[in-house]
Amino acid sequence: MIMRLAIASLGARALTVGMTILAIGLSVALFLGVEKVRTGAKASFADTISGTDLIVGARSGSVQLLLYSVFRIGNATNNVTWESYQDIAARPEVDWIVPISLGDSHRQFRVMGTSRAFFEHYKYRQGRSLAVSDGVIMDDLFDTVIGADVAATMGYSIGDPIIVAHGLASFTEHKDQPFRVSGILEKTGTPVDRTVIVSMEAIEAIHVDWKSGAKVPGQSTPADVIRNMELTPKAVTAVLVGVESPLQIFSLQRAINEYTEEPLLAILPGVALQELWSIVGIAETALLAVSSLVVVTALIGMMATIFSSLNERRREMAIFRAMGARPSTILSMLVLEAMLMAAVGALFGLVLLYIGLIIAQPILDSAYGLWLPINAPTMREVWVVLAVICAGAIVSLVPALRAYRLSVADGMMVKT
């Protein structure tokens, strides 16, 4: 009977009840949406590089090595000599190895020298490989493959020339050895999108006429001559390593860290990414706090709606009391109404969330490389819905207790 009374009462106030349900639904959708974005961003961050067992560089800090080798932020304290690179590559535990050379730039983008193996072994988002959306991987010494953001920002297309600057934020350019765009990569949502990729030999080629970080005055070696030169690198900035067996990762890491020829550091990318996320992940806590406050505000709004309707419903309550309804019945009916509004609002919020995910998923993936999976509601989402319903019951107790104390005489009295 109380359920029928509550449903009938809600139906009689359809407009205000509908607005309250809408507010709760939007707040729940926002809260769960922020949670989806938070977990999706964390997963995308963790999947910036996958399938790489070790990253090797000059001895420094694990986060610093991760920042410059994967995120192209900052600079290495030192380089790894080519002899050390070859020693690591020759170890029996190593399945594949990819050199990385950093230092030059093009406008606001970093230039990275590497080998063709980078396109085979660099993985992101749980094993996805790099793909060329237009053109091909470098065929010529002065070919370059650019990331999606580089192409979009600079308006480059296949065949366009690119002039690399020496160092970062430098006004000195390698104008005598321009590159040609041979390929444009698909959007990945990783630092690769903002990278100009050339071969290791190309990095050596553009520095043929340079000595001690400066161009030799009056010296300009023709490109045809450079092509026939020995362009073996003298050093690399970092190295990506894949091992034959996961059981060999830690032994190889220890061997590299104890390498006697020069001080080296080998890190596990996953561990370093978690360490870095613990530093930058405070934003997720702030987002979660803001969205939680939105839900609390909606519930307080529901309490205010019930409060404001009490004066209009005092006669209704008095009639119920006159017909024999106990005060506990009035209290139960108001609490049940609030729980029904909270339940419908929370379920409506879930529906809004998944409609928003269906619309936003391809947009966020293509524009930002942020992947938000569309799965069945998780236990966390179910608990959020239950928590909203319980919170709705709790906040309704204040106006319900006030209605509990209303007397028949007070309710029937006509005030002037």
Side-chain angles (χ1 to χ4, degrees):
M1 182 187 70
I2 295 176
M3 176 67 77
R4 289 200 302 270
L5 287 174
I7 293 174
S9 177
L10 291 174
R13 297 175 289 114
L15 181 59
T16 55
V17 169
M19 295 298 292
T20 302
I21 289 175
L22 178 62
I24 294 174
L26 290 174
S27 62
V28 169
L30 176 62
F31 180 85
L32 294 177
V34 167
E35 179 69 8
K36 284 282 189 183
V37 171
R38 184 183 71 86
T39 55
K42 187 174 182 179
S44 297
F45 182 83
D47 284 340
T48 300
I49 181 170
S50 62
T52 296
D53 296 312
L54 292 173
I55 300 176
V56 181
R59 189 169 296 168
S60 56
S62 58
V63 172
Q64 182 184 3
L65 175 54
L66 181 75
L67 283 174
Y68 70 73
S69 63
V70 175
F71 293 94
R72 323 281 187 260
I73 298 174
N75 295 300
T77 56
N78 206 348
N79 286 330
V80 178
T81 63
W82 187 249
E83 290 74 17
S84 297
Y85 167 80
Q86 290 179 312
D87 286 346
I88 296 171
R91 292 189 64 89
E93 304 100 319
V94 175
D95 180 32
W96 56 264
I97 188 167
V98 176
I100 290 176
S101 181
L102 300 169
D104 292 333
S105 62
H106 174 67
R107 306 294 173 88
Q108 69 267 40
F109 303 106
R110 297 294 292 265
V111 174
M112 182 182 74
T114 187
S115 64
R116 292 182 69 90
F118 177 80
F119 300 96
E120 300 173 14
H121 298 294
Y122 179 86
K123 309 289 184 183
Y124 69 100
R125 198 187 295 166
Q126 299 180 351
R128 291 185 61 173
S129 299
L130 297 175
V132 177
S133 63
D134 193 12
V136 296
I137 304 300
M138 300 94 69
D139 283 331
D140 184 71
L141 178 63
F142 294 104
D143 279 351
T144 177
V145 174
I146 60 176
D149 289 350
V150 180
T153 303
M154 305 304 298
Y156 287 145
S157 57
I158 301 301
D160 287 347
I162 284 182
I163 296 177
V164 172
H166 184 75
L168 304 179
S170 172
F171 295 102
T172 306
E173 297 181 327
H174 299 281
K175 294 182 179 180
D176 48 344
Q177 282 100 19
F179 286 88
R180 182 188 71 89
V181 176
S182 68
I184 299 173
L185 296 174
E186 291 181 355
K187 182 81 173 179
T188 65
T190 71
V192 173
D193 296 337
R194 299 180 55 81
T195 306
V196 176
I197 303 173
V198 300
S199 66
M200 295 292 294
E201 293 76 15
I203 294 293
E204 295 298 314
I206 61 178
H207 293 100
V208 164
D209 298 324
W210 290 66
K211 188 175 182 179
S212 301
K215 194 176 189 312
V216 178
Q219 184 172 323
S220 180
T221 306
D224 292 338
V225 175
I226 292 176
R227 293 178 192 276
N228 296 318
M229 294 176 65
E230 176 60 41
L231 298 174
T232 301
K234 300 177 181 62
V236 298
T237 306
V239 181
L240 308 181
V241 180
V243 300
E244 292 280 357
S245 168
L247 300 176
Q248 299 173 319
I249 293 176
F250 296 105
S251 61
L252 179 60
Q253 182 186 27
R254 184 170 58 255
I256 294 173
N257 289 339
E258 295 174 354
Y259 187 67
T260 57
E261 298 301 319
E262 64 175 308
L264 298 178
L265 174 67
I267 64 171
L268 300 169
V271 175
L273 282 166
Q274 289 296 325
E275 185 179 350
L276 181 58
W277 182 260
S278 67
I279 298 173
V280 302
I282 190 171
E284 66 169 337
T285 305
L287 282 174
L288 202 59
V290 170
S291 58
S292 300
L293 288 175
V294 172
V295 176
V296 171
T297 303
L299 291 172
I300 293 174
M302 181 179 70
M303 182 176 69
T305 301
I306 297 174
F307 251 127
S308 64
S309 67
L310 279 183
N311 279 336
E312 301 173 3
R313 300 180 65 190
R314 289 173 72 180
R315 188 178 298 278
E316 174 190 344
M317 301 302 167
I319 292 173
F320 283 140
R321 294 282 300 279
M323 294 177 65
R326 295 174 177 272
S328 59
T329 302
I330 303 299
L331 186 145
S332 300
M333 186 179 71
L334 289 177
V335 171
L336 185 58
E337 287 180 10
M339 291 180 66
L340 287 173
M341 284 191 288
V344 175
L347 293 174
F348 178 58
L350 266 180
V351 173
L352 285 179
L353 171 68
Y354 282 92
I355 291 174
L357 284 176
I358 292 171
I359 296 172
Q361 186 191 64
I363 299 173
L364 292 175
D365 185 30
S366 61
Y368 304 104
L370 177 61
W371 179 251
L372 302 180
I374 302 177
N375 301 320
T378 63
M379 282 305 301
R380 184 182 179 87
E381 292 169 348
V382 172
W383 279 113
V384 168
V385 171
L386 293 177
V388 169
I389 295 173
C390 293
I394 292 171
V395 299
S396 69
L397 284 175
V398 177
L401 287 171
R402 183 170 182 270
Y404 178 89
R405 296 190 180 96
L406 291 177
S407 66
V408 176
D410 182 56
M412 297 296 292
M413 182 169 47
V414 179
K415 297 190 176 183
T416 58

